[in-house]
Amino acid sequence: MSSIVRVNMTTHEIKSEINKGYEFLGGRSLSSRIVYDEVEPTCEPLGRKSKLVIAMGLLSGTIASSASRISIGAKSPLTNGIKEANCGGVAGSKLSKCGIQAIIIEGKSEDDKCYVLVINKDSYKLEVMNELKYLGNYETVEKLYYKYGRKTGILCVGPTGERGLRGACIASSDSIGELKFAARGGLGAVMGSKGLKAIVVDDKGCNLITYKDKEKFIELAKDYNKKLASDPKVTGTYHNYGTTAIVKAVNGMGALPTCNFRYGSTEHVSNLSGEKMNELILSRGGEGKLALSCMEICAIRCSTIYPDKDGKKLVSTMQYENIALLGSNLGMENLDQVAQLNYEINDLGLDTIETGCALGVTLDMGYGRFGCVEDCMALINEIKRNTPLGRLIGNGALLTGQILGCDRIPTGKGQGFAGYDPRALKGNGVTYSMSTMGGDHTAGNCFGSRATVDPLGTESQGELSRTLQIQIGTLDCIGLCMFARGPLFADASILANIVNYRAGSSFDKDTIWELGIETLKLEREFNIKAGVSPAHDKLPEYLYEEPLSPTNAVFDLTEEEMLKAIV
């Protein structure tokens, strides 16, 4: 059985332990369980009593495609409730191969040193690397590669995480050294506040993954991989556009956040679209690339490298959410502007969604002009310089809006909305409001169900959100990317059996969803104990009153409909 590594940042003691009660838990189910079991719900999220949990999914490190996402959990400094954020990269699979089920970071460093947790075949140790203090993510990763080798997996925080800014995220290196982000909820601030700058994982000589029935697992995994690799949505959409394929569709339904969620569409959609991104990457050549994997084994390959006009890398990866929150939401007109902002925010170690919302509010209050990339860069430089205004923006949209006096702040449970206005995609409004995660589309994104449930309708939205919360929550527990759901949701017995052959569990196509259901119930119980009451479920008042152009929709679901989303 895999071990749990416990790191006390106060005493610098590291120990390894086994918990048989966690045998069939992984990913979000494990991170949320440990937070529930060990963290006082009313503690300060950035205080000594908080804990950060890094948990691997049940299939992490195996040959199953798109199954090595890493889950990071804590009490969120944004929502004050439980939060899980997951991402790709190679650290998850490497930690699994080292025989590690989860890492618990507890306590808080009492000195001003910069610590790096180094994990390899023979040891776990905290090393002091003060030369990394307040460095950006990109330089941090390069210095760690130089010292420990480019085949290591890295998790790190930028300067905003070290400074405890509540919009901070955790970066994860992929197989070619690009960065992915466990972005939502401010978990980078939790890691940084403990004095931990980075985790480096070297799995050389390690392959400690065990199987209940390895032969059957490999056979089923290969079949699943083949089905996923041949899915037309994978080969035709994700390989060519990644998640940016939906920009025009969201704009067309009037749900694309524009100018601080004041409008639901932009006239510049063609120059912000996935089709335009594909065209520019192919025409500019150079370092630009399509169809890159974010994990060691992934058939989906939705990552990209976006180049400038000379073919030099501007940023990786351009995603739909970045285009929505840093593009149309800030009034930008083209992808080069978005990429420029995206790179700087990644380097600072901030969530692009939360920061995009905070910048939108800031522009709305007259601290810059919508559509002016120079004004937005000036605000980002305030964050770099750690000025009061910069710290305000880095602490997220809600605090920014409250201090600047804005009466239209796009947040759910204190967390910035993702790239779908809830007035025009009402199912997502339910998810923002009623899920345990607040304004986070990854908890149950209803966009993919727009053909079966009217996005503007007032019925079936609660049931839709509830179903998606359970389904996606289950994938989070297993460590699977939500874009792998095609063959798995078509035949849930594949999902159940691939877990059984790996872990020795006894799920079937009906009971596999209990992973998600039990996790969501546990998270809700933690939130209630933390004081995140039903009063916090209400969305910002302007959404109920201010019609959204071009559909003129408001958020008008009944309380009865909303309550149907509770698991």
Side-chain angles (χ1 to χ4, degrees):
M1 184 175 177
S2 296
S3 63
I4 293 174
V5 175
R6 189 178 296 271
V7 182
N8 189 309
M9 292 301 298
T10 305
T11 65
H12 300 160
E13 179 186 11
I14 304 175
K15 59 183 180 179
S16 177
E17 58 194 49
I18 302 291
N19 190 322
K20 291 186 178 179
Y22 297 158
E23 185 176 7
F24 300 130
L25 300 181
R28 180 174 169 183
S29 60
L30 181 55
S31 66
S32 291
R33 180 82 242 182
I34 294 174
V35 171
Y36 180 89
D37 287 347
E38 299 193 12
V39 176
E40 292 182 20
T42 56
C43 77
E44 291 292 335
L46 304 184
R48 194 176 306 281
K49 294 181 180 179
S50 72
K51 298 188 181 186
L52 184 80
V53 181
I54 299 164
M56 277 47 73
L58 291 169
L59 302 183
S60 178
T62 70
I63 68 164
S65 176
S66 319
S68 291
R69 291 180 73 81
I70 197 166
S71 284
I72 301 177
K75 180 178 179 180
S76 168
L78 283 175
T79 70
N80 280 310
I82 205 165
K83 189 71 187 80
E84 183 264 2
N86 63 69
C87 67
V90 297
S93 61
K94 290 181 181 296
L95 285 166
S96 294
K97 290 173 183 176
C98 289
I100 297 173
Q101 186 182 16
I103 302 172
I104 302 172
I105 311 296
E106 58 190 14
K108 192 168 184 177
S109 178
E110 295 180 340
D111 56 40
D112 196 37
K113 296 176 182 176
C114 187
Y115 287 94
V116 175
L117 174 63
V118 182
I119 296 172
N120 56 39
K121 179 182 178 182
D122 302 313
S123 67
Y124 318 122
K125 58 184 176 180
L126 282 169
E127 296 191 355
V128 176
M129 290 189 67
N130 289 331
E131 63 269 32
L132 300 180
K133 200 165 186 66
Y134 301 131
L135 289 187
N137 274 323
Y138 296 113
E139 189 175 0
T140 295
V141 169
E142 284 304 313
K143 285 185 178 293
L144 290 171
Y145 276 156
Y146 181 79
K147 182 170 183 176
Y148 299 105
R150 300 194 74 86
K151 292 186 178 180
T152 56
I154 296 170
L155 298 169
C156 65
V157 296
T160 56
E162 295 175 84
R163 290 172 174 140
L165 301 189
R166 287 163 168 78
C169 60
I170 298 173
S172 175
S173 64
D174 68 14
S175 59
I176 61 172
E178 300 298 341
L179 299 181
K180 311 305 170 193
F181 297 88
R184 308 305 329 265
L187 303 191
V190 181
M191 181 169 164
S193 69
K194 296 192 170 300
L196 186 63
K197 175 69 171 179
I199 299 172
V200 178
V201 189
D202 184 355
D203 64 336
K204 184 178 180 181
C206 297
N207 194 3
L208 299 179
I209 298 172
T210 59
Y211 300 84
K212 177 65 176 179
D213 191 324
K214 187 173 183 178
E215 186 176 327
K216 287 184 178 178
F217 176 87
I218 290 174
E219 181 182 359
L220 184 56
K222 286 181 176 178
D223 180 61
Y224 149 68
N225 289 355
K226 185 177 180 180
K227 285 184 169 69
L228 182 62
S230 61
D231 185 334
K233 192 168 186 178
V234 168
T235 58
T237 301
Y238 293 133
H239 287 184
N240 287 307
Y241 311 106
T243 60
T244 66
I246 67 173
V247 172
K248 285 185 175 180
V250 181
N251 189 77
M253 63 193 290
L256 185 68
T258 303
C259 297
N260 190 30
F261 287 76
R262 193 173 294 278
Y263 314 105
S265 63
T266 173
E267 62 181 317
H268 306 296
V269 64
S270 293
N271 285 331
L272 294 170
S273 67
E275 291 83 356
K276 187 65 175 181
M277 182 195 74
N278 177 282
E279 173 194 324
L280 292 175
I281 290 175
L282 293 176
S283 64
R284 289 176 174 180
E287 296 175 338
K289 288 183 175 61
L290 294 164
L292 298 173
S293 298
C294 77
M295 286 174 273
E296 289 181 337
I297 298 175
C298 183
I300 298 170
R301 307 205 322 259
C302 65
S303 293
T304 61
I305 294 176
Y306 182 83
D308 63 16
K309 294 177 181 178
D310 298 320
K312 294 181 179 179
K313 179 177 69 176
L314 265 176
V315 74
S316 174
T317 278
M318 289 278 275
Q319 297 280 4
Y320 166 74
E321 302 298 333
N322 303 339
I323 291 174
L325 275 304
L326 302 178
S328 56
N329 188 54
L330 303 183
M332 297 303 159
E333 300 180 3
N334 62 66
L335 292 172
D336 287 350
Q337 295 172 320
V338 177
Q340 184 180 354
L341 299 175
N342 197 164
Y343 175 88
E344 297 294 343
I345 292 170
N346 285 356
D347 196 41
L348 283 166
L350 288 170
D351 173 15
T352 53
I353 294 176
E354 190 67 44
T355 308
C357 286
L359 287 170
V361 168
T362 306
L363 296 180
D364 216 1
M365 296 308 294
Y367 288 79
R369 295 163 291 177
F370 284 107
C372 180
V373 71
E374 291 80 13
D375 286 2
C376 288
M377 284 299 298
L379 292 172
I380 290 172
N381 283 329
E382 296 285 328
I383 304 173
K384 284 185 179 182
R385 291 165 48 218
N386 200 32
T387 66
L389 178 58
R391 289 188 62 84
L392 183 61
I393 296 168
N395 271 297
L398 181 61
L399 189 58
T400 299
Q402 288 173 336
I403 298 299
L404 296 184
C406 186
D407 60 1
R408 44 192 330 281
I409 310 171
T411 58
K413 288 188 172 74
Q415 183 171 219
F417 287 159
Y420 312 86
D421 194 298
R423 289 167 288 185
L425 185 57
K426 294 181 181 179
N428 272 23
V430 179
T431 298
Y432 296 162
S433 171
M434 306 303 293
S435 79
T436 57
M437 296 290 145
D440 186 345
H441 68 298
T442 66
N445 190 353
C446 299
F447 172 76
S449 302
R450 64 196 183 282
T452 54
V453 176
D454 180 6
L456 295 172
T458 57
E459 298 180 357
S460 302
Q461 306 291 358
E463 297 98 319
L464 174 61
S465 175
R466 182 182 189 276
T467 298
L468 290 170
Q469 287 181 58
I470 292 169
Q471 290 178 333
I472 300 304
T474 299
L475 296 185
D476 290 343
C477 298
I478 297 169
L480 281 156
C481 174
M482 68 174 68
F483 300 142
R485 64 186 180 269
L488 299 173
F489 287 4
D491 182 1
S493 64
I494 297 175
L495 188 61
N497 286 327
I498 202 169
V499 171
N500 294 339
Y501 296 149
R502 158 69 179 87
S505 49
S506 55
F507 296 114
D508 60 32
K509 64 181 179 65
D510 298 314
T511 60
I512 188 65
W513 308 112
E514 292 298 322
L515 282 171
I517 291 170
E518 293 306 312
T519 299
L520 289 162
K521 288 180 177 178
L522 177 146
E523 291 170 350
R524 183 166 295 279
E525 187 176 344
F526 181 94
N527 283 0
I528 291 170
K529 291 179 179 179
V532 184
S533 72
H536 294 90
D537 293 340
K538 186 174 176 63
L539 294 175
E541 197 166 271
Y542 78 92
L543 297 173
Y544 302 85
E545 302 172 348
E546 182 183 301
L548 177 70
S549 170
T551 61
N552 291 321
V554 295
F555 193 77
D556 54 359
L557 300 187
T558 64
E559 182 179 0
E560 180 183 10
E561 185 65 32
M562 299 288 282
L563 290 173
K564 292 176 183 177
I566 294 178
V567 178

